[in-house]
Amino acid sequence: ETGVTQSPTHLIKTRGQQVTLRCSSQSGHNTVSWYQQALGQGPQFIFQYYREEENGRGNFPPRFSGLQFPNYSSELNVNALELDDSALYLCASTEGHSNTEAFFGQGTRLTVV
Amino acid sequence: DQQVKQNSPSLSVQEGRISILNCDYTNSMFDYFLWYKKYPAEGPTFLISISSIKDKNEDGRFTVFLNKSAKHLSLHIVPSQPGDSAVYFCAAIIGGSNYKLTFGKGTLLTVNP
């Protein structure tokens, strides 16, 4: 059984650029949720994808978007990057859309300069 | 508006003693609570959870207590071990929208040998 994997682990982008982060869900899981963890804060819910459709969204602007593929892997896209987007981005996968049994990846550390 | 609050940024205890981590919440709609542990460079790992219909849940060295009237929960670790040193996050879910975990800011626990 493979766990949740995220790529890349670190990256640096310039303000105004676009970025794509990737997540492979745990084997057997059909739901992926994305969280942003800013320095000194707890993770904040961005959105969830269940069976390739968005199933809920947190308080993030439309320049945060996502996709889920037929194999249940997922992408998080952020357009027009701002300095405040610098954070650890966490992906969590579950079997079904309940997050009571969420398994997290190691995260992608994004730095916007 | 922080709906889940962990007011102690850090806690230091001696090996073998009890660690008590506290969490308060403001949203009375929360009906399921979880604790996650996070080591540096890793994603959060699920530790223990409790439903709002219970006031205690125990799993080995870890016990979570819930006081609904006070909107307060606590995690007890007995006995504490150096390997328990990590950031502990309290999280909550509203049953009707259980796709979204709402996290506190976390408490850094250091267990000294």
Side-chain angles (χ1 to χ4, degrees):
Chain A
E1 179 179 277
T2 58
V4 179
T5 58
Q6 293 185 241
S7 63
T9 54
H10 298 82
L11 76 165
I12 300 173
K13 289 286 189 177
T14 303
R15 189 171 50 182
Q17 285 188 315
Q18 179 266 345
V19 69
T20 297
L21 310 182
R22 294 178 175 84
C23 172
S24 293
S25 61
Q26 182 159 311
S27 177
H29 286 183
N30 57 11
T31 304
V32 171
S33 301
W34 286 91
Y35 290 81
Q36 180 198 64
Q37 186 183 3
L39 196 62
Q41 304 294 317
Q44 288 206 324
F45 177 76
I46 303 175
F47 44 56
Q48 182 187 80
Y49 278 83
Y50 173 63
R51 294 184 175 177
E52 302 179 56
E53 293 198 359
E54 188 177 292
N55 185 51
R57 188 178 183 93
N59 189 26
F60 281 80
R63 59 190 184 83
F64 285 78
S65 63
L67 281 174
Q68 186 178 34
F69 300 99
N71 66 354
Y72 304 126
S73 66
S74 177
E75 287 182 354
L76 164 65
N77 299 291
V78 187
N79 293 321
L81 283 167
E82 301 177 0
L83 297 179
D84 284 350
D85 295 333
S86 296
L88 180 68
Y89 288 84
L90 294 162
C91 167
S93 78
T94 50
E95 184 179 353
H97 50 78
S98 169
N99 262 278
T100 57
E101 302 268 345
F103 291 83
F104 283 84
Q106 83 282 8
T108 294
R109 174 70 64 187
L110 171 65
T111 302
V112 182
V113 297
Chain B
D1 177 32
Q2 195 78 14
Q3 296 187 62
V4 176
K5 301 177 184 180
Q6 294 178 257
N7 292 320
S8 298
S10 63
L11 174 68
S12 182
V13 299
Q14 286 299 119
E15 181 178 5
R17 306 292 290 269
I18 185 172
S19 296
I20 300 176
L21 296 104
N22 293 305
C23 177
D24 298 295
Y25 61 96
T26 58
N27 191 336
S28 57
M29 298 292 289
F30 288 139
D31 60 3
Y32 197 83
F33 303 89
L34 308 90
W35 285 93
Y36 280 83
K37 177 170 72 174
K38 187 179 184 301
Y39 294 117
E42 294 184 12
T45 303
F46 170 75
L47 197 55
I48 192 169
S49 62
I50 188 166
S51 166
S52 61
I53 62 174
K54 295 187 175 182
D55 55 16
K56 177 183 174 181
N57 189 27
E58 195 171 351
D59 184 3
R61 297 186 296 115
F62 303 91
T63 303
V64 56
F65 295 92
L66 175 62
N67 182 333
K68 282 184 63 179
S69 61
K71 293 191 177 67
H72 176 84
L73 62 156
S74 61
L75 173 68
H76 292 210
I77 306 174
V78 182
S80 300
Q81 300 173 355
D84 296 328
S85 298
V87 176
Y88 288 78
F89 290 101
C90 173
I93 287 180
I94 298 174
S97 57
N98 58 10
Y99 53 80
K100 171 185 172 180
L101 287 163
T102 301
F103 284 88
K105 290 186 178 183
T107 297
L108 173 62
L109 173 65
T110 303
V111 180
N112 301 303

